[in-house]
Amino acid sequence: QVQLVESGGGLVQAGGSLRLSCAASGRTFSRYAMGWFRQAPGKEREFVADINWSGTNTYYADSVKGRFTISRDNAKNTGYLQMNSLKPEDTAVYYCAAGDRTVDLNYWGQGTQVTVSS
């Protein structure tokens, strides 16, 4: 089993910033691809960003490109999502996911709530 625990969510005003963390345990994180997804109540879960195992390749949804930055620290078995210039439409539960490759992120965290007020 691989456990993923998100943290760093909270309430922020529009234009503000938050940094989410995803702490992994259960096996080495160094070779995992990982990503972030988000889901608002009554809506489908949507892709936000992902990153390969080495941290050299990243991909973002158009809605967050230029505002969010995904990164990782393999020595700490932790992934991050830096969220800047937050908008009310960014409000959602944010989930960390990991897997052997970006196309199959099969391990999930419990989610952390991000609320952006206008």
Side-chain angles (χ1 to χ4, degrees):
Q1 279 288 312
V2 175
Q3 293 82 41
L4 303 173
V5 179
E6 301 95 335
S7 62
L11 175 65
V12 65
Q13 291 184 337
S17 298
L18 285 172
R19 191 189 199 192
L20 306 184
S21 297
C22 175
S25 62
R27 65 171 284 179
T28 180
F29 188 61
S30 63
R31 303 295 294 191
Y32 277 123
M34 63 88 58
W36 290 91
F37 295 76
R38 65 188 183 185
Q39 186 172 27
K43 298 181 66 177
E44 289 255 312
R45 187 170 299 182
E46 65 176 347
F47 168 80
V48 175
D50 64 27
I51 188 168
N52 70 332
W53 68 269
S54 66
T56 59
N57 187 32
T58 59
Y59 187 76
Y60 299 91
D62 287 341
S63 59
V64 306
K65 192 175 299 181
R67 300 187 298 120
F68 291 11
T69 302
I70 188 171
S71 62
R72 65 192 300 158
D73 186 339
N74 287 338
K76 298 179 179 178
N77 284 355
T78 302
Y80 304 96
L81 184 69
Q82 178 68 46
M83 305 185 294
N84 298 326
S85 301
L86 283 162
K87 305 174 181 179
E89 50 262 46
D90 295 319
T91 295
V93 176
Y94 283 71
Y95 296 90
C96 177
D100 292 334
R101 53 184 182 171
T102 55
V103 297
D104 188 17
L105 303 175
N106 56 326
Y107 301 103
W108 293 82
Q110 84 291 340
T112 185
Q113 177 70 46
V114 172
T115 302
V116 184
S117 64
S118 58

